């Protein structure tokens, strides 16, 4: 009697590792450009005149940094969708993948809008109305800082929790992801508690590095047991 083996399905979608690297590289490039071109950014709730003067004095590096930030938002959204598809392929049938997809898409869109707002301010800052400039700057901070961190936390949690339970990656790495995810969710309090703004770079840079590691370690397929072997093991 001839035995036939089922052909293995090739995983679809783009590879996760390069997407995570491109996202993180563009993020780092944007921050480096901003710091190199401006020296430092004013605090989100600094006086309006100080914020407006900063945008007017460093318009070009701010526009370049915003462009790089927008570039980072696009592969982040693709990465979130690709991770969701990979988790479904791995048989993860819990809310985690959907939560992660929601968080990743939210982080991508908020980062994109924040970049466009920042670019707009630097392209036409009106020194006569520093109040409007400062208000838009705070909107950009809320979207690309706090909102992004909360979304990124959900994306990481949606990957780390199923990975920890199903042992899809080393458990210590999944636990690190849970810590970063928790920091992202708590960071919304930084809107009223300034010291908690220190969590934002932890989520942005720590989360980006974690996603690179997770992207390379998340398996493409879960091993399938041969039903004939399983039936033999079940016999007394």
């Amino acid at each position: 009697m001839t035995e036939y083996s089922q052909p293995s399905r090739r995983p679809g979608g783009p590879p996760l590792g390069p997407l995570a690297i491109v996202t993180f590289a563009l993020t780092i490039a944007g921050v480096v450009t901003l710091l190199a071109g401006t020296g430092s950014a004013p605090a989100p709730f600094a006086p309006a005149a100080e914020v407006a003067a900063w945008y007017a004095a460093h318009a070009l590096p701010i526009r370049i940094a915003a462009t790089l930030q927008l570039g980072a938002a696009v592969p982040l959204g693709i990465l979130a969708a690709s991770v969701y598809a990979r988790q479904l392929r791995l048989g993860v049938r819990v809310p985690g993948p959907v939560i992660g997809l929601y968080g990743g898409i939210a982080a991508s869109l908020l980062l994109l809008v924040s970049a466009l707002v920042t670019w707009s301010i630097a392209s036409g800052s009106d020194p006569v109305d520093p109040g409007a400039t400062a208000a838009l700057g705070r909107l950009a901070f809320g979207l690309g800082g706090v909102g992004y961190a909360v979304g990124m936390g959900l994306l990481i949690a949606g990957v780390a929790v199923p990975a920890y339970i199903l042992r899809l990656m080393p458990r210590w790495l999944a636990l690190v992801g849970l810590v970063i995810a928790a920091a992202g969710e708590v960071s919304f309090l930084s809107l009223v508690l300034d010291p908690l703004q220190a969590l934002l770079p932890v989520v942005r840079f720590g989360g980006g590095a974690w996603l690179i590691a997770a992207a390379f370690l998340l398996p493409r397929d879960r091993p399938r047991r041969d039903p004939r072997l399983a039936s033999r093991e079940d016999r007394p």
Side-chain angles (χ1 to χ4, degrees):
M1 185 175 179
T2 306
E3 297 182 359
Y4 296 93
S5 59
Q6 295 182 348
S8 59
R9 293 176 299 172
R10 298 183 62 184
L16 304 182
L19 283 173
I21 290 175
V22 170
T23 302
F24 193 54
L26 288 171
T27 299
I28 294 294
V31 172
V32 170
T33 300
L34 189 66
L35 294 179
T38 67
S40 62
F45 302 105
E50 179 182 343
V51 175
W54 180 77
Y55 276 102
H58 308 289
L60 180 59
I62 293 174
R63 289 201 303 268
I64 296 174
T67 301
L68 293 169
Q69 179 178 317
L70 189 150
V74 176
L76 176 61
I78 299 173
L79 175 63
S82 300
V83 169
Y84 172 75
R86 176 74 61 85
Q87 289 177 300
L88 294 186
R89 180 180 180 82
L90 292 171
V92 182
R93 299 291 188 266
V94 293
V98 179
I99 293 172
L101 178 64
Y102 164 72
I105 297 300
S108 173
L109 292 177
L110 292 174
L111 190 64
L112 188 149
V113 176
S114 173
L116 292 176
V117 172
T118 302
W119 180 88
S120 178
I121 298 172
S123 299
S125 180
D126 185 1
V128 179
D129 190 4
T133 300
L136 288 174
R138 289 164 188 155
L139 175 62
F141 166 76
L143 294 170
V146 180
Y148 171 83
V150 172
M152 178 67 82
L154 291 176
L155 171 60
I156 294 174
V159 178
V161 172
Y164 180 86
I165 296 174
L166 301 176
R167 299 180 181 271
L168 299 177
M169 63 177 64
R171 282 197 158 185
W172 66 267
L173 181 63
L175 288 174
V176 171
L178 291 176
V179 172
I180 297 174
E185 300 317 297
V186 174
S187 68
F188 82 95
L189 294 174
S190 64
L191 292 174
V192 292
L193 299 174
D194 290 358
L196 291 181
Q197 291 175 12
L199 295 175
L200 301 180
V202 173
V203 178
R204 184 176 296 272
F205 302 117
W210 188 89
L211 282 177
I212 292 176
F216 281 102
L217 291 176
L218 198 64
R220 291 178 177 270
D221 287 289
R222 291 177 68 182
R224 297 181 178 180
R225 297 175 61 190
D226 189 328
R228 293 171 298 178
L229 296 177
S231 62
R232 291 177 185 175
E233 293 176 358
D234 294 336
R235 294 175 183 173

